[in-house]
Coordinates of all heavy atoms in Angstrom, one line a residue:
N1 N 0.8 -1.2 0.0 CA 0.0 0.0 0.0 C 0.9 1.3 0.0 O 0.6 2.2 -0.7 CB -0.9 0.0 1.2 CG -2.0 -1.1 1.1 OD1 -2.3 -1.6 0.0 ND2 -2.6 -1.4 2.2
E2 N 1.9 1.3 0.8 CA 2.8 2.4 0.9 C 3.6 2.6 -0.4 O 3.6 3.7 -0.9 CB 3.8 2.2 2.1 CG 4.6 3.5 2.4 CD 3.8 4.7 2.8 OE1 2.7 4.5 3.4 OE2 4.2 5.8 2.4
Q3 N 4.2 1.6 -0.9 CA 5.0 1.7 -2.1 C 4.2 1.9 -3.4 O 4.6 2.6 -4.3 CB 5.9 0.5 -2.3 CG 7.0 0.3 -1.3 CD 7.8 -0.9 -1.4 OE1 7.6 -1.8 -2.3 NE2 8.8 -1.0 -0.6
A4 N 3.0 1.4 -3.4 CA 2.1 1.6 -4.6 C 1.7 3.0 -4.8 O 1.3 3.4 -5.9 CB 0.9 0.7 -4.5
K5 N 1.7 3.8 -3.7 CA 1.3 5.2 -3.8 C 2.1 6.0 -4.8 O 1.6 6.9 -5.5 CB 1.3 5.9 -2.5 CG 0.3 5.4 -1.5 CD 0.6 6.1 -0.1 CE -0.4 5.6 0.9 NZ -0.1 6.2 2.2
V6 N 3.4 5.7 -4.9 CA 4.3 6.4 -5.8 C 4.4 5.8 -7.2 O 5.1 6.4 -8.1 CB 5.7 6.6 -5.2 CG1 5.6 7.4 -3.9 CG2 6.3 5.2 -4.9
L7 N 3.8 4.6 -7.4 CA 3.9 4.0 -8.7 C 2.9 4.6 -9.6 O 1.7 4.8 -9.2 CB 3.8 2.5 -8.5 CG 4.8 1.8 -7.7 CD1 4.5 0.3 -7.5 CD2 6.2 2.0 -8.2
T8 N 3.3 4.7 -10.9 CA 2.4 5.4 -11.8 C 1.6 4.5 -12.8 O 0.5 4.8 -13.3 CB 3.1 6.5 -12.6 OG1 4.2 5.8 -13.3 CG2 3.7 7.6 -11.7
T9 N 2.2 3.3 -13.0 CA 1.5 2.4 -14.0 C 1.0 1.1 -13.3 O 1.5 0.7 -12.2 CB 2.5 2.0 -15.1 OG1 3.5 1.1 -14.5 CG2 3.1 3.2 -15.8
D10 N 0.0 0.5 -13.9 CA -0.5 -0.7 -13.4 C 0.6 -1.8 -13.4 O 0.6 -2.7 -12.5 CB -1.8 -1.2 -14.1 CG -3.0 -0.3 -13.8 OD1 -3.0 0.3 -12.8 OD2 -3.9 -0.3 -14.6
Q11 N 1.4 -1.8 -14.5 CA 2.4 -2.8 -14.6 C 3.4 -2.7 -13.4 O 3.8 -3.7 -12.9 CB 3.2 -2.5 -15.9 CG 4.3 -3.6 -16.2 CD 3.7 -5.0 -16.3 OE1 2.6 -5.2 -16.8 NE2 4.5 -6.0 -15.8
E12 N 3.8 -1.5 -13.0 CA 4.7 -1.4 -11.8 C 4.0 -1.9 -10.6 O 4.7 -2.6 -9.8 CB 5.0 0.1 -11.6 CG 5.9 0.7 -12.6 CD 6.1 2.2 -12.5 OE1 5.1 2.9 -12.1 OE2 7.2 2.7 -12.7
K13 N 2.7 -1.7 -10.4 CA 2.0 -2.2 -9.3 C 1.9 -3.8 -9.3 O 2.1 -4.4 -8.3 CB 0.6 -1.6 -9.2 CG 0.6 -0.2 -8.8 CD -0.8 0.5 -8.8 CE -0.7 2.0 -8.6 NZ -1.9 2.6 -8.6
I14 N 1.7 -4.3 -10.5 CA 1.7 -5.8 -10.7 C 3.0 -6.4 -10.3 O 3.1 -7.4 -9.6 CB 1.3 -6.1 -12.1 CG1 -0.2 -5.8 -12.3 CG2 1.5 -7.6 -12.4 CD1 -0.7 -5.9 -13.7
E15 N 4.1 -5.7 -10.8 CA 5.5 -6.2 -10.5 C 5.7 -6.2 -9.0 O 6.3 -7.1 -8.4 CB 6.5 -5.4 -11.3 CG 6.5 -5.7 -12.8 CD 7.4 -4.8 -13.6 OE1 8.1 -4.0 -13.0 OE2 7.3 -4.9 -14.8
L16 N 5.3 -5.1 -8.3 CA 5.5 -5.0 -6.9 C 4.7 -6.1 -6.2 O 5.2 -6.8 -5.3 CB 5.1 -3.6 -6.4 CG 5.1 -3.4 -4.9 CD1 6.5 -3.6 -4.3 CD2 4.6 -2.0 -4.5
A17 N 3.5 -6.3 -6.6 CA 2.6 -7.3 -6.0 C 3.2 -8.7 -6.2 O 3.3 -9.5 -5.2 CB 1.2 -7.3 -6.6
N18 N 3.8 -9.0 -7.4 CA 4.4 -10.3 -7.6 C 5.6 -10.5 -6.8 O 5.9 -11.6 -6.2 CB 4.8 -10.4 -9.1 CG 3.6 -10.6 -10.0 OD1 2.5 -11.0 -9.5 ND2 3.7 -10.3 -11.3
K19 N 6.4 -9.4 -6.6 CA 7.6 -9.5 -5.8 C 7.2 -9.8 -4.3 O 7.8 -10.6 -3.7 CB 8.4 -8.2 -5.8 CG 9.6 -8.1 -4.9 CD 10.2 -6.7 -5.0 CE 11.1 -6.4 -3.8 NZ 11.4 -5.0 -3.6
L20 N 6.2 -9.1 -3.8 CA 5.8 -9.3 -2.4 C 5.1 -10.6 -2.2 O 5.3 -11.2 -1.1 CB 4.9 -8.1 -1.9 CG 5.6 -6.7 -1.9 CD1 4.7 -5.6 -1.5 CD2 6.9 -6.7 -1.0
N21 N 4.4 -11.1 -3.2 CA 3.8 -12.4 -3.1 C 4.8 -13.5 -3.1 O 4.7 -14.5 -2.4 CB 2.8 -12.6 -4.3 CG 1.5 -11.9 -4.1 OD1 1.1 -11.6 -3.0 ND2 0.9 -11.6 -5.2
A22 N 5.9 -13.3 -3.8 CA 7.0 -14.3 -3.8 C 7.7 -14.3 -2.5 O 8.0 -15.4 -1.9 CB 8.0 -14.0 -4.9
Q23 N 7.8 -13.1 -1.9 CA 8.4 -13.0 -0.5 C 7.5 -13.8 0.5 O 8.0 -14.5 1.4 CB 8.6 -11.6 -0.1 CG 9.7 -10.9 -0.7 CD 9.8 -9.4 -0.2 OE1 9.1 -9.0 0.7 NE2 10.7 -8.7 -0.9
M24 N 6.2 -13.6 0.3 CA 5.3 -14.2 1.3 C 5.3 -15.7 1.1 O 5.3 -16.5 2.1 CB 3.9 -13.7 1.0 CG 2.8 -14.2 2.0 SD 3.2 -13.5 3.6 CE 2.7 -14.9 4.6
A25 N 5.4 -16.2 -0.1 CA 5.5 -17.6 -0.4 C 6.7 -18.2 0.2 O 6.7 -19.3 0.8 CB 5.4 -17.9 -1.9
K26 N 7.8 -17.5 0.1 CA 9.1 -18.0 0.7 C 9.0 -18.1 2.2 O 9.5 -19.0 2.9 CB 10.3 -17.2 0.3 CG 10.7 -17.4 -1.1 CD 11.9 -16.5 -1.5 CE 12.3 -16.7 -3.0 NZ 13.3 -15.8 -3.4
F27 N 8.4 -17.0 2.8 CA 8.2 -17.0 4.2 C 7.3 -18.2 4.7 O 7.7 -18.8 5.7 CB 7.5 -15.6 4.6 CG 7.4 -15.5 6.1 CD1 8.4 -15.0 6.9 CD2 6.2 -15.8 6.8 CE1 8.3 -14.8 8.3 CE2 6.0 -15.6 8.1 CZ 7.1 -15.1 8.9
E28 N 6.2 -18.4 4.0 CA 5.3 -19.5 4.4 C 6.1 -20.8 4.3 O 5.9 -21.7 5.1 CB 4.1 -19.5 3.6 CG 3.1 -18.4 3.9 CD 1.9 -18.4 3.1 OE1 2.0 -18.6 1.8 OE2 0.8 -18.2 3.6
Q29 N 6.8 -21.0 3.2 CA 7.6 -22.2 3.0 C 8.6 -22.4 4.1 O 8.7 -23.5 4.7 CB 8.3 -22.2 1.7 CG 9.0 -23.5 1.3 CD 9.6 -23.4 -0.1 OE1 9.7 -22.4 -0.7 NE2 10.1 -24.5 -0.5
R30 N 9.3 -21.4 4.5 CA 10.2 -21.5 5.6 C 9.6 -21.9 6.9 O 10.1 -22.6 7.7 CB 10.9 -20.1 5.8 CG 12.4 -20.1 5.5 CD 13.2 -18.9 5.8 NE 12.5 -17.7 6.3 CZ 12.1 -16.7 5.5 NH1 12.2 -16.7 4.2 NH2 11.5 -15.6 6.1
K31 N 8.4 -21.4 7.1 CA 7.6 -21.7 8.4 C 7.0 -23.1 8.4 O 7.0 -23.8 9.4 CB 6.6 -20.6 8.6 CG 7.1 -19.3 9.0 CD 7.9 -19.4 10.3 CE 8.4 -18.1 10.7 NZ 9.1 -18.2 12.0
Y32 N 6.4 -23.5 7.2 CA 5.6 -24.7 7.2 C 6.3 -25.9 6.7 O 5.9 -27.0 7.1 CB 4.3 -24.5 6.3 CG 3.3 -23.6 7.0 CD1 2.9 -22.4 6.3 CD2 2.7 -23.8 8.2 CE1 1.9 -21.5 6.9 CE2 1.8 -23.0 8.8 CZ 1.4 -21.9 8.2 OH 0.5 -21.0 8.7
D33 N 7.4 -25.8 6.0 CA 8.1 -27.0 5.5 C 8.6 -27.8 6.6 O 8.4 -29.1 6.6 CB 9.2 -26.6 4.5 CG 8.7 -26.4 3.1 OD1 7.5 -26.5 2.9 OD2 9.6 -26.1 2.2
P34 N 9.2 -27.3 7.7 CA 9.7 -28.1 8.8 C 8.6 -28.8 9.5 O 8.7 -30.0 9.9 CB 10.4 -27.1 9.7 CG 10.7 -25.9 8.9 CD 9.7 -25.9 7.9

């Protein structure tokens, strides 16, 4: 929400969302795999 405020295109917002979703997936994997 904070970073998207300064982004001007939908493509930039999609890329940010994809990046953060990947971070979340890695976090969940680190927590749940063990």
Side-chain angles (χ1 to χ4, degrees):
N1 293 342
E2 188 61 34
Q3 291 178 356
K5 290 177 185 177
V6 297
L7 300 177
T8 55
T9 68
D10 287 341
Q11 184 61 35
E12 289 174 320
K13 291 177 184 177
I14 290 170
E15 289 172 7
L16 176 61
N18 289 340
K19 175 185 161 193
L20 296 177
N21 283 334
Q23 284 180 7
M24 187 64 215
K26 285 181 185 176
F27 183 85
E28 286 178 319
Q29 185 176 8
R30 250 188 350 267
K31 290 296 182 178
Y32 288 122
D33 277 0

